[in-house]
Amino acid sequence: MKDVYVIGCGMTKFGEIWKSSFRDLFVEAGLKAIKNAGIDHLDSMYVGTMTSGLFVGQEHVGALMADYLGVAPIPAVRVESACCSGGMAVRIGFLDIASGNSDIVLAGGVEKMNDGADVTFALSTAADQEYECYHGVTFPGLYAMIARAHMKKYGTTRDQLAQVAVKNHYNGSMNPNAQFPRKITLEQVKNAVLVADPLTVLDSSPVSDGGACVILASEKIAKKFPKQMVKIIGSGAATDSLALDQRKDITALNAVKVSAKKAFKMAGLKPKDIDLAEVHDCFTIAELCIMEELGFCEKGKSGKFVEDGNTALDGKIPVNTSGGLKSKGHPVGATGIAQVVEIYEQLTGKAGQRQVKNAKIGLAQNMGGSGASSVVHILKKLND
Amino acid sequence: MPSPKYRREMPQRYRLEAAKCKKCGKVFFPPRLICDKCKSEEFEKITLPENGKIVTFTIIRVAPQQFETEVPYAIAIVELENGVRLTTQVVDCNPEKLKIGNEIKLVFRKIQEEGKTGIIKYGYKAVLA
């Protein structure tokens, strides 16, 4: 396999972006990424979007975006794996270059969730329609059931869940692209309106519009941009049962574990080698379970791990320095790309107020549904 | 509107029919065409037991459109006596008082309506045993 580098990135602000259409969001992020990298052409493009058909009635997204980005007739295809469509687009782009087929690839993601669609239904299509959604379960509901099982099995507390949201909002308060760039308190999280017990609205990521893109390049191209090259040293993906009820341990996210294991193996690294991580905190409980599956802490001890400040900006392993899905926003298809954008900016020293000192190796973990698919990338800065 | 999609799931939803692998004995609900454990494609039809217990649950406060009038309602993953797990509402109870481990029994109930002019959909719900 050939080496693959990230050489540039771009994203829109996340939020309720009324002035921009689905295609505008992608093109804005794409143009920023192309200019940021300083390249003059693309060989191919991958666009992650979860369910643009339901959100805005638009499919055939690869061709549409290639056309509006002004890069047709390059090959362009949409990549879908629910909430980890973006992360999977990075992976497909990675494989395209690793195989020797392309030298410059744009991997992007976009979602337009605020154009009037039935968002709860659109998101629920990532779960089992006939055996979960049929009975009235929602995504907050599925994660709430994971949370309750985790609390029962490991003694995880309501405060520990809330601490994830407090931490991520603190980080997000320093991110100009965040949808909710403001600090919140433990009490606010716990006393917010319940969505699905025990999770409140402040345990949950928001409904967002947004786009994000990264430029991937082969070594031949990347070495022309030595100051901005960050190597993708690990990539792993995995799946699990779509329905939560089919899993033996409700608190385990096996796809996350397996995808991480594969990425760590490719990189030749261990969890302790990671300087910072962006993980899929669609709900507070998700971040806790992911900490355990990535090997950052022992199984069942994630609540205490977060409570003790290990994952804070100045902690042992800062997690979701961007604000995460919780504060930055979660335009589903764009999320996995935006995670890589944050890691790239951190490793190249461009993360502003939320910059982690001496960050050399970063990990991005993006997850679909209630954990039925997961993709992990490990990035490393080679040159100072 | 006639719905082949709905008709296909009726044996499972109305009669709790599951598939038992003829080779290794693993039970699948809903039925599948291949056993993920032993890769056998031979199954026999069995009926699930109605009794079980709550593995985990939540109370839905913000519901999808067709369940909006029912909030708050309890949803649980239950484990039946033969080890099979499924997702179901828990009804005829105070959702606030539910606990993991509560004994339940599956009963036949109306689940939802397909719009104002569509079919009424049925299936299983759990009640405390």
Side-chain angles (χ1 to χ4, degrees):
Chain A
M1 279 190 10
K2 293 184 188 292
D3 290 342
V4 182
Y5 298 83
V6 181
I7 59 166
C9 67
M11 66 181 282
T12 68
K13 184 175 167 59
F14 284 0
E16 294 180 12
I17 315 292
W18 305 112
K19 67 172 176 52
S20 301
S21 67
F22 176 60
R23 65 187 77 176
D24 291 344
L25 289 167
F26 184 83
V27 173
E28 182 189 330
L31 288 175
K32 280 182 183 168
I34 288 169
K35 286 173 192 164
N36 180 249
I39 47 160
D40 59 5
H41 75 282
L42 298 173
D43 293 330
S44 64
M45 186 165 96
Y46 298 94
V47 184
T49 180
M50 177 195 161
T51 181
S52 53
L54 290 176
F55 283 131
V56 292
Q58 182 70 60
E59 309 288 15
H60 208 173
V61 174
L64 172 74
M65 297 311 182
D67 180 13
Y68 274 75
L69 189 58
V71 296
I74 66 160
V77 69
R78 178 245 192 104
V79 179
E80 190 275 317
S81 186
C83 324
C84 74
S85 300
M88 289 295 183
V90 173
R91 180 170 162 81
I92 305 298
F94 168 84
L95 294 173
D96 189 345
I97 292 174
S99 73
N101 180 64
S102 294
D103 283 312
I104 312 177
V105 171
L106 186 149
V110 59
E111 213 75 66
K112 181 75 186 168
M113 301 172 75
N114 288 299
D115 260 8
D118 180 348
V119 174
T120 307
F121 170 71
L123 290 175
S124 80
T125 59
D128 188 321
Q129 280 303 306
E130 303 304 333
Y131 288 89
E132 291 183 309
C133 305
Y134 183 80
H135 297 280
V137 78
T138 58
F139 260 97
L142 289 169
Y143 278 96
M145 288 198 282
I146 297 176
R148 198 181 295 272
H150 204 279
M151 291 163 106
K152 172 85 175 174
K153 189 169 177 183
Y154 299 113
T156 305
T157 65
R158 180 54 273 209
D159 279 23
Q160 290 168 341
L161 288 171
Q163 187 55 40
V164 173
V166 172
K167 167 185 72 72
N168 291 352
H169 269 272
Y170 174 79
N171 295 346
S173 72
M174 294 175 278
N175 185 349
N177 287 324
Q179 180 168 5
F180 295 115
R182 55 174 179 260
K183 294 170 200 166
I184 55 172
T185 66
L186 218 57
E187 294 307 311
Q188 280 176 312
V189 180
K190 291 193 291 180
N191 297 328
V193 177
L194 278 164
V195 178
D197 307 32
L199 302 180
T200 72
V201 71
L202 287 180
D203 284 294
S204 320
S205 55
V207 172
S208 323
D209 305 329
C213 293
V214 293
I215 306 294
L216 308 178
S218 64
E219 184 156 23
K220 185 176 85 184
I221 300 292
K223 67 185 180 192
K224 295 180 189 166
F225 309 93
K227 288 214 161 109
Q228 62 198 60
M229 60 196 276
V230 167
K231 191 174 176 183
I232 299 182
I233 57 171
S235 174
T239 53
D240 198 352
S241 69
L242 200 72
L244 181 63
D245 59 31
Q246 301 282 313
R247 301 180 202 156
K248 264 186 202 143
D249 181 354
I250 303 291
T251 67
L253 297 171
N254 197 50
V256 178
K257 186 180 183 171
V258 175
S259 58
K261 218 170 166 179
K262 287 181 174 176
F264 279 124
K265 192 180 171 196
M266 186 186 287
L269 296 176
K270 294 204 156 57
K272 65 169 174 49
D273 300 320
I274 302 297
D275 295 325
L276 82 158
E278 286 286 302
V279 308
H280 198 91
D281 61 323
C282 50
F283 297 93
T284 49
I285 181 62
E287 183 167 318
L288 293 187
C289 294
I290 291 163
M291 294 298 92
E292 299 170 5
E293 303 297 0
L294 291 178
F296 291 162
C297 67
E298 270 177 67
K299 185 81 196 143
K301 306 232 169 115
S302 55
K304 181 98 173 47
F305 190 70
V306 169
E307 198 171 41
D308 290 348
N310 290 297
T311 56
L313 204 50
D314 57 356
K316 201 162 81 179
I317 162 117
V319 171
N320 284 329
T321 57
S322 68
L325 284 54
K326 177 68 206 77
S327 161
K328 183 179 54 187
H330 184 24
V332 188
T335 283
I337 305 286
Q339 293 178 323
V340 175
V341 169
E342 176 69 9
I343 297 294
Y344 181 77
E345 294 199 323
Q346 286 282 357
L347 297 184
T348 51
K350 290 173 184 151
Q353 274 183 282
R354 52 185 204 287
Q355 181 66 47
V356 175
K357 279 182 197 145
N358 301 318
K360 297 264 186 268
I361 300 173
L363 178 148
Q365 182 274 337
N366 189 198
M367 182 161 77
S370 60
S373 55
S374 173
V375 56
V376 171
H377 285 102
I378 301 174
L379 283 74
K380 184 177 183 182
K381 179 84 170 86
L382 301 178
N383 308 313
D384 283 319
Chain B
M1 192 176 165
S3 174
K5 179 175 153 177
Y6 181 70
R7 174 66 186 80
R8 277 195 296 272
E9 306 302 332
M10 276 164 59
Q12 292 78 259
R13 289 178 183 154
Y14 287 25
R15 300 189 292 276
L16 294 176
E17 285 181 13
K20 184 177 181 180
C21 176
K22 280 187 177 170
K23 204 167 144 198
C24 75
K26 186 169 174 183
V27 179
F28 293 89
F29 184 84
R32 297 184 178 203
L33 298 179
I34 180 166
C35 174
D36 65 357
K37 197 172 158 196
C38 74
K39 309 301 171 199
S40 165
E41 296 175 34
E42 303 279 313
F43 294 92
E44 62 176 307
K45 190 162 69 183
I46 65 156
T47 303
L48 293 177
E50 293 165 356
N51 288 81
K53 58 181 180 21
I54 293 177
V55 175
T56 185
F57 70 98
T58 183
I59 304 168
I60 302 286
R61 313 260 175 189
V62 180
Q65 235 162 27
Q66 63 273 41
F67 293 95
E68 264 168 4
T69 56
E70 294 180 41
V71 291
Y73 57 92
I75 286 262
I77 291 175
V78 301
E79 183 168 312
L80 303 176
E81 280 169 348
N82 64 347
V84 166
R85 289 178 176 186
L86 51 82
T87 302
T88 176
Q89 285 191 29
V90 188
V91 294
D92 300 351
C93 65
N94 178 355
E96 308 275 355
K97 294 206 168 148
L98 287 178
K99 288 205 161 44
I100 289 176
N102 277 160
E103 307 262 337
I104 59 93
K105 181 181 167 65
L106 294 179
V107 292
F108 185 72
R109 291 289 169 89
K110 174 183 165 183
I111 307 289
Q112 51 168 291
E113 288 175 26
E114 197 178 73
K116 285 195 164 69
T117 55
I119 58 171
I120 295 172
K121 297 175 167 182
Y122 297 90
Y124 46 83
K125 284 183 181 176
V127 295
L128 292 175

